[in-house]
Amino acid sequence: MRRPQLDIQLKTPDQIEKMRAAGLVVAEALRRMREAVAPGVSTADLDAIAESTIREAGAVPSFKGYHGFPASICSSVNEQIVHAIPSPGQVLAEGDLISIDCGAVLDGWHGDSAITVGVGEVDPALLRMAEVAEDAMWAGIAAAARGAASGKGRLTDISHAVETAVRKGGRYGIVDGYGGHGIGTEMHQDPHVLNHGRPGKGPRLVPGMALAIEPMITMASPRTVELADGWTVVTRDGSVAAHVEHSMALLPDGVWVLTAFDGGRARLGDLVTARQPAVSTTP
């Protein structure tokens, strides 16, 4: 079933269960990459970890081959915001900040998530920016859950919650033109989810919607440049950026953060669906 105009794909609870399986594959790949991040490790090394983890699980990397993208992850370091291509020549150094975006498709359903990780000893101001981005992501997910529960929520309630959390956290640039998206049988679906805006606009938030919420913020200007490789997006002023993302789905009794091992329970509490056990035994 699809909602008109934006062609939003609504999922059944059983289909969301399948998306959860894909989401856990992504979560495990990101867990292994987080543990591997260290000075001297190349972004190609991280890509190899992701691909092997995804394929071991019987899934396929969503990114590899997507419009010609050559890798299983996007590995964006420092001023790189999103879509950077892993390379043996890009070797992590002490003090770097890396954003790792990863996707997997399992049995026809996609999961998509991103983390930002410090390399060794990192400037606390950069780690604080990454923390603000993560807090903003969770604020957006919580707004979606509350909006669906009330029956009055609209898509831009998520955008407004993300922006409010970022503004509360400090003087950061919110990258324009890039944001979250619907997800399901394709990696990118309607609707586009901006990381800023007024609340109360756009389609209603209803059970069956599955969205990837992904704030991208910078230490200074939000203006961007795409490099000659046709993929890598960097800050125009060279300031460091952070990017985080979770895929989530709305169910009749709450939200399910499909790419979080605990389904979002630690951050969202009772907003999480009963389909996610209260105690998770997964790492």
Side-chain angles (χ1 to χ4, degrees), residues 191-216:
H192 183 61
V193 186
L194 291 172
N195 288 317
H196 58 86
R198 295 181 179 180
K201 306 292 184 181
R204 290 196 180 277
L205 298 169
V206 296
M209 290 182 75
L211 304 169
I213 310 302
E214 51 179 322
M216 303 167 208

Side-chain angles (χ1 to χ4, degrees), residues 33-34 37 96-100 115-119 122 127 130:
M33 285 185 282
R34 183 190 291 274
V37 166
D96 283 345
L97 197 70
I98 179 171
S99 298
I100 307 170
I115 57 175
T116 293
V117 185
V119 183
V122 178
L127 296 178

Side-chain angles (χ1 to χ4, degrees), residues 72-264:
S72 297
I73 63 169
C74 300
S75 51
S76 305
V77 181
N78 296 333
E79 77 281 0
Q80 298 170 343
I81 305 169
V82 286
H83 303 161
I85 301 170
S87 167
Q90 183 154 45
V91 177
L92 300 179
E94 191 87 10
D96 283 345
L97 197 70
I98 179 171
S99 298
I100 307 170
D101 194 355
C102 182
V105 55
L106 181 65
D107 296 330
W109 295 92
H110 287 260
D112 189 7
S113 184
I115 57 175
T116 293
V117 185
V119 183
E121 293 294 324
V122 178
D123 184 343
L126 299 183
L127 296 178
R128 173 58 184 159
M129 175 181 61
E131 182 181 7
V132 168
E134 182 135 348
D135 288 345
M137 174 186 66
W138 286 107
I141 295 170
R146 294 190 180 101
S150 71
K152 299 178 181 178
R154 296 280 187 172
L155 182 69
T156 64
D157 296 349
I158 300 172
S159 309
H160 182 70
V162 170
E163 180 180 11
T164 300
V166 173
R167 301 300 183 211
K168 182 180 178 181
R171 296 176 63 85
Y172 301 105
I174 299 177
V175 176
D176 197 12
Y178 299 88
H181 51 88
I183 186 168
T185 52
E186 297 90 28
M187 182 167 56
H188 293 114
Q189 297 181 327
D190 284 340
H192 183 61
V193 186
L194 291 172
N195 288 317
H196 58 86
R198 295 181 179 180
K201 306 292 184 181
R204 290 196 180 277
L205 298 169
V206 296
M209 290 182 75
L211 304 169
I213 310 302
E214 51 179 322
M216 303 167 208
I217 64 176
T218 74
M219 288 294 289
S221 170
R223 299 183 70 187
T224 65
V225 177
E226 185 178 272
L227 299 186
D229 64 14
W231 287 102
T232 308
V233 178
V234 302
T235 56
R236 183 180 292 273
D237 61 3
S239 61
V240 177
H243 169 213
V244 295
E245 176 185 20
H246 267 312
S247 297
M248 49 137 279
L250 298 171
L251 285 139
D253 67 339
V255 67
W256 202 352
V257 184
L258 304 170
T259 47
F261 283 121
D262 72 346

